[in-house]
């Protein structure tokens, strides 16, 4: 593949990726390679943009068409790939022409929580990558301070998690592999109330919001998609809270329930400080 000129003409032509570079990047589709190398693949212009802003990108692979559409994402360590080559790095059927190799940013629990967190999400053994990525996106949207993925949760750098977060995983600290009880204790020692989202609870989210109790610093525990919140996990919380359903749906899925709980908490906290 011949070299092509950069669309912004800022740093000379983009070099064609070598076979070795492409082969090495493809290995990051394997979990063990991601963990061993501390790197993962980021797909799509929005996610790559956020990874670049976070200073975590090592390499960008881009098609000529995508380089023309997104010249701001063509950095010094960028390499051209044909569309069919880039497809082999993508997790989607119709990739948008750009994939980056990013460095994993390991975050300690203390660093993530800081001294006075206001809103934290604790995901207790969430296994579905789409749900995990969407919860991270919701946490980012509603201004959460941190997300915790406890032991036995899906791997943060799983391509489907990265894609579902749409770049939000680069916006807030995310702690992985932490024991649930340890995460809860760390939040409680920082003055947070611990609420467990449980659809079967008699304590209703709307009533807590009306009483003003949601305005307090809050850590939400979210349970697994298949079996919900186990009794031992719910026992760690100060109280369990259910989202009232007034229609005919049996229940809400995990990501939807997370978005409702986080929105209500964030809105209550902001109203209390206005």
């Amino acid at each position: 593949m011949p070299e092509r000129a950069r669309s912004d003409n800022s740093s000379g032509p983009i070099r064609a990726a070598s076979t070795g570079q492409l082969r090495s990047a493809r290995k990051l589709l394997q979990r063990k390679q991601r963990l061993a190398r501390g790197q993962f693949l980021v797909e799509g212009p929005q996610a790559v943009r956020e990874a670049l802003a976070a200073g975590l990108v090592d390499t960008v692979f881009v098609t000529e068409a995508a380089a023309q559409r997104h010249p701001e994402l063509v950095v010094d360590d960028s390499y051209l790939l044909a569309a069919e080559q880039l497809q082999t790095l993508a997790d989607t059927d119709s990739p948008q022409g750009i994939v980056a190799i990013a460095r994993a940013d390991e975050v300690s629990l203390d660093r993530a929580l800081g001294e006075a967190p206001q809103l934290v999400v604790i995901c207790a053994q969430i296994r579905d990558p789409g749900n995990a990525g969407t919860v991270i996106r919701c946490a980012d949207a509603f201004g959460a301070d941190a997300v915790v993925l406890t032991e036995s949760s899906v791997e943060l750098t799983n391509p489907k998690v990265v894609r579902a977060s749409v770049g939000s995983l680069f916006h807030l600290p995310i702690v992985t592999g932490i024991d649930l009880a340890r995460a809860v204790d760390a939040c409680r020692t920082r003055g947070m109330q611990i609420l467990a989202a449980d659809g079967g609870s008699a304590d209703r989210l709307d009533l807590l919001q009306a009483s003003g109790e949601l305005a307090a610093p809050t850590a939400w525990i979210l349970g697994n998609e298949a079996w919900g919140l186990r009794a031992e996990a719910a026992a760690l919380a100060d109280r369990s809270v259910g989202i009232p359903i007034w229609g005919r749906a049996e229940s809400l899925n995990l990501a939807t329930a997370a978005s409702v709980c986080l929105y209500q908490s964030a809105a209550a906290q902001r109203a209390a400080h206005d």
Side-chain angles (χ1 to χ4, degrees):
M1 180 189 298
E3 293 181 344
R4 301 284 186 173
R6 292 179 188 267
S7 53
D8 62 359
N9 294 316
S10 60
S11 302
I14 312 175
R15 293 163 290 174
S18 69
T19 302
Q21 286 173 316
L22 182 57
R23 185 184 303 115
S24 177
R26 281 190 193 126
K27 289 181 179 179
L28 292 173
L29 294 169
Q30 304 170 31
R31 181 177 184 271
K32 83 175 173 180
Q33 288 289 328
R34 293 193 295 271
L35 296 179
R37 290 164 54 177
Q39 295 176 313
F40 61 103
L41 297 175
V42 180
E43 180 183 342
Q46 178 60 27
V48 171
R49 183 176 292 109
E50 301 308 325
L52 284 168
L56 293 173
V57 170
D58 287 331
T59 307
V60 173
F61 296 102
V62 62
T63 64
E64 187 172 358
Q68 295 292 330
R69 288 194 303 269
H70 304 288
E72 75 283 4
L73 303 182
V74 180
V75 295
D76 286 342
D77 291 318
S78 295
Y79 298 89
L80 276 178
L81 286 178
E84 59 271 21
Q85 291 176 309
L86 189 129
Q87 176 74 63
T88 66
L89 298 177
D91 186 55
T92 57
D93 293 332
S94 301
Q96 299 177 63
I98 186 164
V99 174
I101 295 176
R103 298 183 300 282
D105 184 22
E106 293 190 12
V107 182
S108 69
L109 186 60
D110 284 342
R111 173 186 156 197
L113 296 180
E115 295 183 1
Q118 296 299 300
L119 186 58
V120 171
V121 188
I122 303 174
C123 299
Q125 298 185 344
I126 289 182
R127 304 286 179 82
D128 181 84
N131 274 331
T134 302
V135 169
I136 291 168
R137 187 179 183 186
C138 290
D140 180 24
F142 300 125
D145 295 284
V147 174
V148 177
L149 296 176
T150 68
E151 293 174 330
S152 301
S153 292
V154 65
E155 178 212 352
L156 177 60
T157 59
N158 178 296
K160 290 182 173 58
V161 176
V162 177
R163 180 158 55 89
S165 81
V166 197
S168 285
L169 65 85
F170 299 110
H171 292 168
L172 74 171
I174 303 171
V175 188
T176 62
I178 298 294
D179 175 72
L180 175 60
R182 180 185 167 201
V184 168
D185 286 345
C187 290
R188 186 172 278 124
T189 58
R190 287 167 170 80
M192 307 188 83
Q193 65 176 342
I194 313 298
L195 301 181
D198 184 354
S201 175
D203 280 339
R204 288 174 25 186
L205 181 66
D206 57 329
L207 299 182
L208 261 67
Q209 192 276 336
S211 70
E213 293 175 81
L214 282 185
T218 301
W220 280 100
I221 303 177
L222 305 176
N224 177 274
E225 302 88 343
W227 59 72
L229 199 65
R230 293 191 182 278
E232 57 268 28
L236 295 172
D238 298 319
R239 65 200 302 178
S240 294
V241 181
I243 300 172
I245 294 177
W246 294 296
R248 296 171 61 186
E250 179 189 8
S251 62
L252 299 174
N253 69 21
L254 171 66
T256 302
S259 68
V260 174
C261 293
L262 292 173
Y263 169 76
Q264 290 281 38
S265 284
Q269 290 176 355
R270 279 155 178 73
H273 290 91
D274 283 347

